[in-house]
Amino acid sequence: MLLSDTLKQLLNILADGEFHSGTELAQQLAISRSAIWKQLQALEDLGVDLIAITGKGYRLQQPLQLLNQQTVISQLSPVTQTLVQQLEIHDVIDSTNRHLLEQARQGAASGTVCVAEYQTAGRGRRGRQWVSPFGHNLYLSILWHYQDGPASIAGLSLALGVAVVRALKQLGIEEVGLKWPNDIYCQQRKLAGILVEVSGESSGPCHAVIGLGLNFYLSPQQAETIEQAWIDIASVLGENAHQHRNHLLALLLNQLMPVIAEFESKGLSYFVDEWRSYDCLKGQAASLYIGENRFDGTIVGIDDNGLIQLADEKGQIRSYASGEVSFRAS
Ligand code: BTN
């Protein structure tokens, strides 16, 4: 869905985070003040936090930078430009992952990329919702077709985590790490998450939709439903963080696309040492939850296949292929 031109214009004026009076907005958009009020209401319906002060006007709680296709494309590396077939930017979508899974069924090519300003039904791992308010975060999905079945891309999600860490470091975020299997952590809180959805024959060709959700700015109200400890880029980089939104999207694509395109030939072994260097669970007391079962121990790291290794109180090490890890006070 596309926002109306008027709403886009209004957002572009308010994006600076400064106060704008109702009269000024009405003049600039050549509509009545009551029409402005309706447009502001529509912004609030999208989850945009507005502050209204009598005598001053309206401003966004946090300034924002809208996504811009040309700005992003102009910052893509030559290799990434050859790998990205199409860059779709949606104002509003249910889920960028769901959209690309549907596009794949209709024959969309490898390298179709979908980003959105707002997701009405963003999905996270384990059936969770991914909180996706308008304009502040990144919601990115990439479609890729693989020759062999899903087994040929086992470990892809770990390699993707490595790519995201590389991009964040290029932006100057140094304190970034990975929490198995592919959560991106900063200061012991979740900054971004990856959801890979694979579809196709078990032994034949398959396609993967790689979804990344990254918190740029979340207001306390927006974050109310998030059960895990979270962090956003604004808390790390300060008040001008929003100015890097298109740039970070380009950095992410520059790192993710080659990893996605080459994973089948390179395999996890190519990335595993780098993954280990970003491991923020290693040596930590933690609990691993698999269904109803809970295993306590100390995280040893990941094995060469990307399985997590947990040492129990007797020092016996076991590897696990799935589960949810949570830190424990030691
Ligand atoms: C996680 O739970 O850690 C994974 C979150 C993945 C969220 C992203 S946002 C873009 C893409 N579209 C979705 O619906 N989900 C993924």
Side-chain angles (χ1 to χ4, degrees):
M1 180 188 137
L2 288 174
L3 300 188
S4 70
D5 286 347
T6 313
L7 203 54
K8 272 274 177 74
Q9 274 176 277
L10 177 61
L11 260 172
N12 275 314
I13 298 170
L14 291 172
D16 61 7
E18 303 293 332
F19 275 108
H20 298 270
S21 71
T23 313
E24 176 202 335
L25 294 173
Q27 267 170 5
Q28 288 205 38
L29 299 184
I31 56 176
S32 67
R33 286 198 59 176
S34 69
I36 287 289
W37 190 83
K38 278 193 193 136
Q39 297 289 329
L40 291 167
Q41 203 55 43
L43 284 185
E44 288 201 313
D45 293 344
L46 290 173
V48 177
D49 289 322
L50 283 164
I51 295 173
I53 296 193
T54 318
K56 282 185 148 184
Y58 306 91
R59 75 165 175 85
L60 298 184
Q61 186 165 331
Q62 190 78 2
L64 58 79
Q65 183 182 69
L66 291 174
L67 297 171
N68 183 290
Q69 195 187 44
Q70 284 320 311
T71 310
V72 176
I73 289 176
S74 69
Q75 296 179 56
L76 296 181
S77 67
V79 172
T80 303
Q81 290 202 10
T82 65
L83 296 171
V84 170
Q85 288 304 308
Q86 201 188 345
L87 173 60
E88 299 177 8
I89 298 186
H90 296 255
D91 292 325
V92 179
I93 203 165
D94 51 357
S95 150
T96 54
N97 262 33
R98 192 216 55 77
H99 174 71
L100 282 192
L101 284 167
E102 175 65 32
Q103 293 293 102
R105 275 190 287 278
Q106 293 175 18
S110 285
T112 306
V113 176
C114 173
V115 286
E117 295 284 10
Y118 178 57
Q119 294 188 120
T120 54
R123 15 204 234 212
R125 290 175 59 232
R126 305 180 167 270
R128 292 194 186 109
Q129 174 213 13
W130 188 259
V131 174
S132 309
F134 187 92
H136 289 294
N137 305 309
L138 287 178
Y139 317 117
L140 160 69
S141 296
I142 301 163
L143 168 66
W144 203 265
H145 297 275
Y146 292 96
Q147 297 295 318
D148 300 317
S152 72
I153 52 168
L156 170 64
S157 71
L158 279 89
L160 297 168
V162 168
V164 175
V165 169
R166 288 176 184 168
L168 288 166
K169 283 183 179 288
Q170 285 180 316
L171 193 68
I173 302 180
E174 283 301 329
E175 292 169 86
V176 63
L178 291 168
K179 173 176 175 274
W180 185 88
N182 52 17
D183 284 348
I184 290 82
Y185 261 55
C186 188
Q187 301 171 13
Q188 303 220 329
R189 288 175 284 167
K190 183 161 167 172
L191 178 64
I194 294 168
L195 173 67
V196 180
E197 298 188 79
V198 182
S199 164
E201 303 298 316
S202 58
S203 57
C206 68
H207 54 257
V209 171
I210 288 124
L212 171 75
L214 185 141
N215 302 330
F216 234 92
Y217 168 74
L218 282 170
S219 70
Q221 303 93 291
Q222 288 161 348
E224 250 167 25
T225 53
I226 303 179
E227 287 159 4
Q228 296 156 290
W230 60 273
I231 190 166
D232 54 21
I233 300 247
S235 321
V236 185
L237 290 186
E239 59 181 21
N240 292 326
H242 64 282
Q243 292 172 358
H244 304 290
R245 192 161 172 249
N246 282 287
H247 179 51
L248 180 57
L249 177 54
L251 291 176
L252 285 164
L253 287 170
N254 285 339
Q255 291 297 339
L256 284 165
M257 294 306 301
V259 169
I260 291 168
E262 293 166 12
F263 188 81
E264 233 174 354
S265 58
K266 286 187 165 154
L268 180 62
S269 59
Y270 188 86
F271 301 95
V272 80
D273 284 339
E274 192 173 348
W275 198 101
R276 287 177 178 135
S277 73
Y278 303 141
D279 187 353
C280 59
L281 281 176
K282 192 178 160 119
Q284 300 259 3
S287 299
L288 177 72
Y289 294 87
I290 304 176
E292 299 289 292
N293 299 317
R294 171 180 146 184
F295 303 91
D296 292 338
T298 303
I299 304 291
V300 178
I302 59 167
D303 70 13
D304 290 346
N305 298 314
L307 275 56
I308 191 155
Q309 296 174 304
L310 187 70
D312 65 18
E313 74 278 10
K314 293 186 188 133
Q316 180 152 14
I317 298 171
R318 287 197 180 83
S319 295
Y320 299 87
S322 66
E324 184 88 350
V325 182
S326 82
F327 294 102
R328 243 171 353 109
S330 44

XYZ file of all heavy atoms in Angstrom, residues 95-97 119 121-125 130 139-141 183 190 193-195 211-213, ligand 1:
174
model
N 3.717 -8.084 5.809
C 5.036 -8.592 6.200
C 5.883 -8.688 4.934
O 5.427 -9.263 3.927
C 4.881 -9.978 6.846
O 6.032 -10.775 6.630
N 7.080 -8.137 4.975
C 7.950 -8.199 3.785
C 8.318 -9.652 3.476
O 8.459 -10.019 2.313
C 9.221 -7.347 3.993
O 9.860 -7.777 5.204
C 8.902 -5.871 4.083
N 8.452 -10.495 4.506
C 8.750 -11.919 4.264
C 7.575 -12.603 3.561
O 7.747 -13.310 2.581
C 9.013 -12.645 5.594
C 10.501 -12.778 5.882
O 11.282 -11.896 5.514
N 10.897 -13.844 6.549
N 5.132 -2.428 8.948
C 4.537 -3.754 8.744
C 3.352 -3.902 9.693
O 3.474 -3.663 10.898
C 5.544 -4.851 9.058
C 6.736 -4.926 8.120
C 7.583 -6.165 8.383
O 7.762 -6.991 7.530
N 8.121 -6.280 9.578
N 1.837 -6.822 10.095
C 1.903 -8.173 10.671
C 3.321 -8.725 10.543
O 3.537 -9.806 10.003
C 0.897 -9.085 9.956
N 4.282 -7.929 11.043
C 5.683 -8.358 10.991
C 5.854 -9.654 11.779
O 5.315 -9.797 12.867
N 6.578 -10.606 11.182
C 6.728 -11.861 11.908
C 8.147 -12.072 12.412
O 9.125 -11.773 11.732
C 6.303 -13.067 11.070
C 6.138 -12.865 9.592
C 5.192 -13.911 9.059
N 5.751 -14.649 7.954
C 5.019 -15.131 6.970
N 3.709 -14.984 6.969
N 5.568 -15.802 5.986
N 8.222 -12.612 13.625
C 9.507 -12.936 14.218
C 9.664 -14.450 14.284
O 8.794 -15.192 13.809
N 10.764 -14.911 14.841
C 10.974 -16.349 14.982
C 9.981 -16.897 15.999
O 9.471 -16.186 16.842
C 12.415 -16.624 15.434
C 13.430 -16.319 14.332
C 14.853 -16.475 14.830
N 15.095 -17.815 15.322
C 15.607 -18.095 16.512
N 15.948 -17.125 17.333
N 15.797 -19.344 16.887
N 6.743 -9.264 15.188
C 7.885 -8.342 15.173
C 7.333 -6.923 15.161
O 6.656 -6.509 14.218
C 8.779 -8.586 13.949
C 10.048 -7.781 14.008
C 10.302 -6.624 13.329
C 11.203 -8.056 14.793
N 11.556 -6.159 13.647
C 12.138 -7.012 14.546
C 11.561 -9.077 15.689
C 13.400 -6.968 15.161
C 12.810 -9.022 16.292
C 13.712 -7.987 16.033
N 12.942 -2.913 8.031
C 12.281 -4.206 7.801
C 12.652 -4.597 6.379
O 12.204 -3.960 5.421
C 10.757 -4.092 7.939
C 10.332 -3.243 9.127
C 9.620 -2.060 8.946
C 10.693 -3.611 10.423
C 9.266 -1.265 10.026
C 10.343 -2.818 11.502
C 9.634 -1.643 11.292
O 9.301 -0.851 12.357
N 13.492 -5.613 6.265
C 14.117 -5.940 4.978
C 13.963 -7.424 4.687
O 14.198 -8.252 5.574
C 15.617 -5.580 5.082
C 16.600 -6.217 4.101
C 16.372 -5.671 2.692
C 18.039 -5.921 4.526
N 13.557 -7.761 3.467
C 13.528 -9.175 3.058
C 14.188 -9.325 1.695
O 14.083 -8.434 0.843
C 12.090 -9.698 2.962
O 11.477 -9.680 4.230
N 20.629 -13.824 16.516
C 20.200 -12.521 17.026
C 21.411 -11.599 17.074
O 22.511 -12.033 17.454
C 19.642 -12.639 18.454
C 18.240 -13.223 18.458
O 17.628 -13.316 17.373
O 17.774 -13.582 19.549
N 18.904 -7.024 22.500
C 18.711 -7.371 21.090
C 18.510 -6.128 20.223
O 17.627 -5.320 20.486
C 17.507 -8.317 20.971
C 17.256 -8.809 19.556
C 16.389 -10.056 19.563
C 15.862 -10.411 18.208
N 15.177 -11.706 18.176
N 17.046 -8.967 14.485
C 16.774 -10.403 14.412
C 16.611 -10.826 12.954
O 16.256 -10.022 12.097
N 16.886 -12.095 12.716
C 16.826 -12.634 11.352
C 15.827 -13.785 11.331
O 15.839 -14.641 12.217
C 18.228 -13.139 10.927
C 19.215 -11.969 10.823
C 18.154 -13.894 9.600
C 20.666 -12.387 10.691
N 14.980 -13.789 10.324
C 14.034 -14.893 10.131
C 14.190 -15.397 8.700
O 13.901 -14.670 7.751
C 12.600 -14.396 10.352
C 11.479 -15.385 10.027
C 11.493 -16.562 11.003
C 10.114 -14.696 10.068
N 14.723 -12.541 6.096
C 14.127 -11.330 6.666
C 14.986 -10.786 7.791
O 15.464 -11.540 8.648
N 15.182 -9.476 7.772
C 15.943 -8.825 8.841
C 15.108 -7.692 9.415
O 14.601 -6.842 8.671
C 17.258 -8.256 8.281
C 18.039 -7.370 9.259
C 18.738 -8.218 10.316
C 19.068 -6.517 8.526
N 14.968 -7.685 10.718
C 14.326 -6.563 11.398
C 15.368 -5.914 12.286
O 16.029 -6.609 13.077
C 13.416 -12.572 15.165
O 12.402 -12.948 15.760
O 14.466 -12.361 15.759
C 13.383 -12.387 13.668
C 12.714 -11.101 13.300
C 12.620 -10.867 11.804
C 11.795 -9.645 11.489
C 11.882 -9.282 10.037
S 11.257 -7.671 9.710
C 11.400 -7.968 8.007
C 10.947 -9.391 7.766
N 9.522 -9.445 7.595
C 8.922 -10.077 8.593
O 7.693 -10.236 8.702
N 9.819 -10.522 9.471
C 11.164 -10.182 9.052
